[in-house]
Amino acid sequence: MTQAISTASQSAQATQPIDSAKPWHCIQVTRDGDVEWLSLSRPDNFNALNLALTQELYDYFGSLPDRQDVRVVVMRGLGRHFCAGYDLEDVEQLTVSLDQGLRLQRQLSAVVLRMRRCPQPIVGLLQGAACGGGFALALGCDVRFAAPNARMNVAMAKIGLTGCDMGISYFLPRAVGPAIAAELMYTGRFVNAERALRIGLVNDVVPEDKLADTAHELVQEMLAMSPVGLRLTKDGLAMAQETSNLATVMALEDRGQAMCFDAFMKEGVAAFREKRAPNYGASR
């Protein structure tokens, strides 16, 4: 295990900035094979969401459905905090007019929609504050690991807004149940890492300096799936949560499996029998 963690750490640290026609100013994107590490990069502002950061997240996640070269995304915040919510220095932009406020609000929400609609699983790494809009970004991830110092809350409930924002009223009760969701959304009460793990908000709590290693280890297991199989699993899991019709869910599952039969199952079965790692690239 020590050797595996060491290898994961070296790989996580060896990521390199990707070449991009669009320069990023508020995020950093690095590559590690088929994985992109997306870092919120406003550490002096606790990675708070402003207009520029929102636009870059909107653009980045909007580009992913057309990218076959990226199979998993790891999302984190640089510095002491994941994301402290909306930058209060930009609040005046939301109050210029109802039309502008609604337009900007919809772009914030659309970031989370694009996170859920992109075919790549997203692993979130949380340290320090994951509040308000940062909490919504965390809930938009498929898997969440937290450092012991992580603190989360529905911060908008404390500044005169509703607790229903950026998909929180959709994701939170599905994660923790309606009663706990109501407690958090009606009060803006903070949840520390220990309670977050207990109520199912995060998958695990690990030392902050091990967050990248933990993500890397999980991501390698995800990459052992076939490329299409992984994408269709995210798609199917999302659809299953959005409908209560069993027949509809099963029809979607049947379609996904049939698409993978000839393209990937032969190689997967052969690799299993031969006790080796599958080579799905040759069967795409």
Side-chain angles (χ1 to χ4, degrees):
M1 177 60 74
T2 301
Q3 183 178 1
I5 292 296
S6 175
T7 302
S9 178
Q10 292 172 6
S11 180
Q13 294 172 3
T15 54
Q16 297 295 322
I18 64 169
D19 293 328
S20 173
K22 179 180 177 62
W24 304 116
H25 301 289
C26 298
I27 63 175
Q28 292 182 12
V29 182
T30 57
R31 285 299 295 271
D32 182 12
D34 291 333
V35 183
E36 285 195 343
W37 292 66
L38 166 67
S39 301
L40 309 182
S41 184
R42 301 186 71 227
D44 293 340
N45 304 91
F46 300 162
N47 296 317
L49 292 161
N50 64 357
L51 299 183
L53 176 54
T54 300
Q55 182 67 54
E56 291 191 8
L57 290 173
Y58 180 85
D59 291 343
Y60 175 77
F61 285 111
S63 73
L64 289 177
D66 295 327
R67 297 188 59 193
Q68 302 295 322
D69 61 311
V70 181
R71 296 187 58 198
V72 182
V73 173
V74 180
M75 186 175 185
R76 58 186 174 179
L78 298 183
R80 295 169 52 199
H81 301 280
F82 173 70
C83 176
Y86 198 79
D87 192 333
L88 297 184
E89 296 300 316
D90 263 22
V91 162
E92 290 186 0
Q93 296 290 332
L94 301 173
T95 60
V96 170
S97 68
L98 177 60
D99 286 346
Q100 177 166 311
L102 183 58
R103 177 175 59 81
L104 296 177
Q105 173 65 33
R106 284 180 170 165
Q107 187 173 38
L108 280 166
S109 297
V111 171
V112 179
L113 276 176
R114 289 184 168 205
M115 290 174 68
R116 300 314 309 145
R117 289 174 177 169
C118 75
Q120 296 86 351
I122 304 170
V123 179
L125 305 183
L126 316 178
Q127 83 281 3
C131 302
F135 189 33
L137 293 179
L139 289 171
C141 296
D142 296 276
V143 177
R144 293 174 287 277
F145 294 117
N149 66 358
R151 298 177 77 228
M152 294 155 253
N153 81 324
V154 186
M156 51 282 292
K158 289 185 171 291
I159 58 169
L161 301 176
T162 80
C164 304
D165 194 13
M166 295 177 65
I168 288 176
S169 62
Y170 180 89
F171 294 112
L172 191 56
R174 284 166 169 76
V176 302
I180 294 178
E183 171 199 339
L184 302 181
M185 293 173 67
Y186 296 169
T187 66
R189 177 178 290 181
F190 277 95
V191 177
N192 62 22
E194 179 184 354
R195 189 183 183 203
L197 178 60
R198 190 167 68 248
I199 64 179
L201 265 179
V202 299
N203 294 70
D204 202 359
V205 176
V206 299
E208 186 172 350
D209 62 356
K210 297 298 183 184
L211 283 173
D213 294 328
T214 303
H216 186 275
E217 190 172 358
L218 177 69
V219 165
Q220 294 312 302
E221 294 183 50
M222 291 181 178
L223 295 178
M225 290 188 68
S226 69
V228 174
L230 184 59
R231 287 176 171 237
L232 290 179
T233 299
K234 174 168 178 174
D235 188 34
L237 182 59
M239 290 293 293
Q241 294 178 81
E242 293 175 9
T243 179
S244 59
N245 188 302
L246 177 60
T248 299
V249 171
M250 285 186 167
L252 182 68
E253 291 176 339
D254 293 343
R255 182 199 68 171
Q257 297 296 50
M259 290 174 66
C260 292
F261 282 157
D262 184 59
F264 300 109
M265 190 174 68
K266 291 179 181 178
E267 169 61 14
V269 170
F272 178 80
R273 287 175 172 166
E274 296 167 16
K275 295 181 172 55
R276 59 172 175 81
N279 179 16
Y280 292 120
S283 55
R284 288 188 186 185

